[in-house]
Amino acid sequence: CIRDRDYTVIKACAVGKQGNDWEHQMGVVTEKLNPAHQYVPWIVVNGKHDPNVEDQVYDDLLGYACKHSSVTIPECDTITQNLRKEKSIFEISKCPREEIIAS
Protein backbone atom coordinates (compact mmCIF):
# COMPACT_ATOMS: atom_id res chain seq x y z
CA CYS A 1 0.00 0.00 0.00
CA ILE A 2 1.11 3.54 -0.69
CA ARG A 3 -0.04 5.22 2.46
CA ASP A 4 2.14 8.30 2.40
CA ARG A 5 2.38 8.72 -1.38
CA ASP A 6 6.12 8.25 -1.41
CA TYR A 7 6.46 7.21 -5.03
CA THR A 8 10.26 7.31 -4.81
CA VAL A 9 10.08 3.86 -3.21
CA ILE A 10 8.11 2.52 -6.17
CA LYS A 11 10.41 4.18 -8.68
CA ALA A 12 13.48 2.80 -6.92
CA CYS A 13 11.99 -0.69 -7.12
CA ALA A 14 10.97 -0.27 -10.76
CA VAL A 15 14.43 0.80 -11.92
CA GLY A 16 16.35 -1.46 -9.55
CA LYS A 17 17.27 -5.14 -9.53
CA GLN A 18 14.01 -6.28 -7.95
CA GLY A 19 11.90 -4.44 -10.53
CA ASN A 20 14.05 -5.80 -13.35
CA ASP A 21 13.73 -9.34 -11.98
CA TRP A 22 9.93 -9.03 -11.71
CA GLU A 23 9.69 -7.60 -15.22
CA HIS A 24 11.72 -10.53 -16.54
CA GLN A 25 9.47 -13.01 -14.71
CA MET A 26 6.39 -11.39 -16.25
CA GLY A 27 8.03 -11.59 -19.69
CA VAL A 28 8.55 -15.33 -19.24
CA VAL A 29 4.91 -15.77 -18.18
CA THR A 30 3.73 -13.61 -21.09
CA GLU A 31 5.59 -15.76 -23.61
CA LYS A 32 3.79 -18.85 -22.27
CA LEU A 33 0.25 -17.42 -22.62
CA ASN A 34 -2.15 -19.61 -24.54
CA PRO A 35 -3.65 -18.12 -26.56
CA ALA A 36 -0.76 -15.74 -27.15
CA HIS A 37 -1.23 -12.07 -26.32
CA GLN A 38 -2.25 -9.80 -29.20
CA TYR A 39 -1.26 -6.42 -27.76
CA VAL A 40 0.25 -4.87 -24.64
CA PRO A 41 -0.96 -4.63 -21.99
CA TRP A 42 -2.81 -7.95 -22.30
CA ILE A 43 -4.55 -8.21 -18.96
CA VAL A 44 -5.00 -11.71 -17.56
CA VAL A 45 -7.05 -12.41 -14.44
CA ASN A 46 -7.13 -15.88 -12.92
CA GLY A 47 -5.28 -17.25 -15.93
CA LYS A 48 -7.74 -15.93 -18.52
CA HIS A 49 -7.93 -12.91 -20.80
CA ASP A 50 -11.38 -11.35 -21.07
CA PRO A 51 -11.92 -8.01 -22.89
CA ASN A 52 -14.74 -7.07 -20.47
CA VAL A 53 -12.55 -7.71 -17.45
CA GLU A 54 -9.71 -5.84 -19.15
CA ASP A 55 -11.93 -2.77 -19.52
CA GLN A 56 -12.93 -2.94 -15.86
CA VAL A 57 -9.29 -3.24 -14.78
CA TYR A 58 -8.29 -0.32 -17.02
CA ASP A 59 -11.05 1.83 -15.55
CA ASP A 60 -10.42 0.98 -11.89
CA LEU A 61 -7.70 -1.56 -11.08
CA LEU A 62 -7.92 -1.14 -7.33
CA GLY A 63 -11.73 -1.19 -7.37
CA TYR A 64 -11.69 -4.37 -9.45
CA ALA A 65 -9.18 -6.04 -7.14
CA CYS A 66 -11.17 -5.07 -4.05
CA LYS A 67 -14.47 -6.21 -5.54
CA HIS A 68 -13.17 -9.58 -6.74
CA SER A 69 -10.70 -10.44 -3.99
CA SER A 70 -11.23 -13.78 -2.28
CA VAL A 71 -10.29 -12.18 1.05
CA THR A 72 -11.72 -9.16 2.84
CA ILE A 73 -9.43 -6.16 2.62
CA PRO A 74 -10.56 -3.58 5.20
CA GLU A 75 -8.69 -0.74 3.51
CA CYS A 76 -10.44 -1.23 0.17
CA ASP A 77 -13.40 1.04 0.87
CA THR A 78 -11.30 3.94 2.10
CA ILE A 79 -8.56 3.58 -0.51
CA THR A 80 -11.00 3.19 -3.41
CA GLN A 81 -13.03 6.23 -2.34
CA ASN A 82 -9.91 8.37 -2.02
CA LEU A 83 -8.53 7.25 -5.38
CA ARG A 84 -11.82 7.92 -7.14
CA LYS A 85 -11.74 11.47 -5.80
CA GLU A 86 -8.27 11.89 -7.27
CA LYS A 87 -8.77 9.73 -10.36
CA SER A 88 -7.23 12.27 -12.70
CA ILE A 89 -3.87 11.69 -11.00
CA PHE A 90 -4.00 7.98 -11.77
CA GLU A 91 -5.68 7.92 -15.18
CA ILE A 92 -3.71 6.26 -17.91
CA SER A 93 -3.88 6.98 -21.58
CA LYS A 94 -5.22 4.00 -23.44
CA CYS A 95 -5.99 3.32 -27.04
CA PRO A 96 -9.28 1.71 -27.92
CA ARG A 97 -8.75 -2.03 -28.38
CA GLU A 98 -9.72 -1.73 -32.06
CA GLU A 99 -6.88 0.73 -32.71
CA ILE A 100 -4.35 -1.49 -30.99
CA ILE A 101 -5.39 -4.59 -32.93
CA ALA A 102 -5.48 -2.71 -36.23
CA SER A 103 -1.94 -1.38 -35.88
Side-chain angles (χ1 to χ4, degrees):
C1 288
I2 306 169
R3 298 193 191 280
D4 60 1
R5 303 232 174 149
D6 184 2
Y7 298 109
T8 58
V9 175
I10 294 171
K11 184 175 181 182
C13 173
V15 300
K17 181 177 178 353
Q18 185 178 33
N20 188 55
D21 290 346
W22 285 346
E23 187 173 8
H24 174 73
Q25 289 172 12
M26 291 300 102
V28 170
V29 170
T30 299
E31 288 301 314
K32 293 179 181 178
L33 288 173
N34 187 6
H37 69 286
Q38 298 174 12
Y39 49 87
V40 175
W42 182 260
I43 297 175
V44 176
V45 176
N46 296 327
K48 297 178 184 174
H49 172 77
D50 179 321
N52 294 319
V53 170
E54 183 173 270
D55 289 341
Q56 292 173 47
V57 170
Y58 258 132
D59 291 340
D60 186 5
L61 172 60
L62 183 60
Y64 184 88
C66 287
K67 182 176 180 181
H68 297 281
S69 177
S70 60
V71 297
T72 301
I73 305 169
E75 296 86 0
C76 275
D77 289 337
T78 303
I79 293 168
T80 302
Q81 288 172 6
N82 289 342
L83 288 178
R84 283 191 182 126
K85 288 178 187 174
E86 301 173 7
K87 190 170 183 178
S88 62
I89 295 172
F90 298 98
E91 285 181 349
I92 59 174
S93 175
K94 64 175 184 174
C95 297
R97 187 178 354 280
E98 297 77 19
E99 289 181 24
I100 296 170
I101 293 171
S103 59

